[in-house]
Amino acid sequence: MDMPNEFGQRALTERGLCAEEGQGIHGRLLYERPAWPQGHRLKDCSVGAFGFFNAAGVTSAYRTHFGRYTQIGESSIIGPPEHPQDYFSTHPFAFTRPQYLPGMYQMPEFARLAPEQQPGPSYVDTVPSETFLGHETYVGARTFIKRGVTIGDGASIGAGSVVTRDIPAYAIAVGSPARVIRLRFDDAIVERFMKLQWWRYDLAPYKKQVDFTQVEATLEFFEQRVAEGQLAVLRPDSYSVTRQPSGLVVEKLAEPLFD
């Protein structure tokens, strides 16, 4: 177990995380190296290898799982909490629990009014709690993604979109509410991408043998390498970063987040 707060960004960078000394990490972050969440606000999220957030602006993500090679534009809101519209009040005092908002419970006035710790589910436990972004998804700047949504592998979301429902793999979706306007490739190519699942492999040894601008030729090259058993499975070192009162605690995980 390490305590990176004692060493600053250098300790995080050595563990494959570019996170501006972890200022935006809240709760627990699981990640595969390398990952670039920068200084964005991530609460109880996971980020696959090569996932990065644009350094500009501030994106907030809550209980969201980002696949490998995800690309997130600035000033987006992903998986935010929802408040009940049919309760006496939409304010957290009517439905929360101490484990969800410990900072608010530090104020005696709020603790006196809000629910105490008690058995059984709360409102927070009855609504969709996690959001999933597949591998190689692209999210444009200023996008809102509703909690509980799943965005498929390879999908692209246009800037300024409001995503309220699931988006299929390799679809391009734009607008408010976001709607699918087309697939990135024709059905046959998408099927080949989904079968190959290239994000599972270490492609680096072959970077000089392919031209990534040529889709079908590159697909064919890696399909052949898989058929011949030449592609090594990508198994990046993975870590857990937890914010505690004393600072950040980093622990190495036994297995990658993704197979």
Side-chain angles (χ1 to χ4, degrees):
M1 181 183 299
D2 305 302
M3 300 294 291
N5 57 299
E6 298 179 358
F7 306 103
Q9 179 59 36
R10 177 179 177 182
L12 293 175
T13 302
E14 289 174 348
R15 293 160 180 80
L17 186 70
C18 183
E20 296 185 7
E21 299 187 4
Q23 297 175 5
I25 297 174
H26 300 269
R28 188 185 189 200
L29 172 68
L30 303 178
Y31 74 94
E32 297 179 330
R33 65 172 303 162
W36 296 268
Q38 315 288 1
H40 298 281
R41 187 180 190 276
L42 275 63
K43 183 175 183 181
D44 296 323
C45 293
S46 63
V47 180
F50 298 94
F52 79 90
F53 291 65
N54 191 304
V58 177
T59 284
S60 295
Y62 308 80
R63 298 189 186 183
T64 298
H65 301 282
F66 299 91
R68 293 175 177 173
Y69 299 91
T70 49
Q71 309 139 72
I72 310 301
E74 68 270 17
S75 305
S76 295
I77 300 175
I78 303 173
E82 297 186 359
H83 292 212
Q85 300 302 309
D86 55 355
Y87 279 29
F88 177 80
S89 173
T90 60
H91 193 279
F93 83 79
F95 64 87
T96 192
R97 297 287 191 275
Q99 67 268 31
Y100 297 125
L101 293 174
M104 295 188 73
Y105 276 87
Q106 290 178 358
M107 299 297 174
E109 296 86 349
F110 184 82
R112 179 171 174 264
L113 175 63
E116 300 173 1
Q117 188 63 47
Q118 54 190 272
S122 69
Y123 170 79
V124 176
D125 301 311
T126 63
V127 297
S129 60
E130 296 181 322
T131 306
F132 296 88
L133 276 66
H135 304 290
E136 206 238 334
T137 55
Y138 173 88
V139 175
R142 304 181 311 282
T143 292
F144 176 92
I145 300 176
K146 183 180 179 181
R147 175 171 287 194
V149 163
T150 295
I151 297 179
D153 297 328
S156 291
I157 309 299
S161 295
V162 176
V163 184
T164 59
R165 62 184 64 185
D166 293 353
I167 302 298
Y170 283 90
I172 297 175
V174 299
S176 176
R179 62 183 182 87
V180 175
I181 57 173
R182 64 178 177 88
L183 295 181
R184 287 176 55 194
F185 309 102
D186 64 41
D187 291 339
I189 295 295
V190 169
E191 184 177 350
R192 290 170 65 185
F193 267 114
M194 295 304 296
K195 182 178 180 180
L196 176 62
Q197 297 184 35
W198 59 264
W199 44 83
R200 297 183 58 240
Y201 302 102
D202 179 8
L203 306 186
Y206 303 95
K207 68 178 184 179
K208 295 183 179 180
Q209 300 181 45
V210 295
D211 178 355
F212 289 111
T213 68
Q214 303 300 310
V215 174
E216 292 197 61
T218 305
L219 263 175
E220 184 177 353
F221 178 89
F222 285 119
E223 287 168 341
Q224 186 63 32
R225 301 290 85 73
V226 169
E228 296 172 354
Q230 295 181 12
L231 279 189
V233 173
L234 183 64
R235 295 189 58 80
D237 288 342
S238 301
Y239 296 86
S240 164
V241 183
T242 306
R243 179 169 295 282
Q244 297 185 355
S246 60
L248 297 178
V249 175
V250 178
E251 298 176 274
K252 189 174 182 179
L253 302 178
E255 298 288 337
L257 302 183
F258 301 99
D259 294 331

